[in-house]
Amino acid sequence: MLHLVQITPQPALTPEDPGWQEVALCAQTDPEAFFPEKGGSTREAKRVCGSCEVRVECLEYALANDERFGIWGGLSERERRRLKRRVS
């Protein structure tokens, strides 16, 4: 016998809604990878971001809140500054 289960759609995640942070892959990994020392490697953090389903929300949050440190949405501080200049 086949049982049908109704799936309730999840609300869309937005940068304004902190719920996206709960499903972010970085929340399940070493936070130090996302805040490397000056000159430290960002490779591991960017690898994790590359497969994260809320990468866009994370980046939008960082840009909207002028996050100055760490890897957010797969971009470093320098990369976010460049992106902001291009958009402005």
Side-chain angles (χ1 to χ4, degrees), residues 16-30:
E16 297 81 26
D17 174 12
W20 65 265
Q21 295 175 349
E22 295 173 16
V23 297
L25 291 179
C26 61
Q28 304 164 32
T29 59
D30 181 8

Side-chain angles (χ1 to χ4, degrees), residues 42-82:
T42 60
R43 193 172 316 148
E44 177 62 21
K46 288 181 176 187
R47 184 188 65 73
V48 171
C49 291
S51 56
C52 184
E53 67 182 77
V54 292
R55 179 179 179 184
V56 171
E57 291 84 357
C58 179
L59 179 58
E60 288 176 357
Y61 173 87
L63 294 171
N65 291 284
D66 199 28
E67 288 291 343
R68 296 177 190 253
F69 302 101
I71 305 300
W72 290 81
L75 299 181
S76 68
E77 309 95 84
R78 181 178 292 146
E79 292 165 329
R80 290 193 304 277
R81 280 195 305 269
R82 276 191 227 136

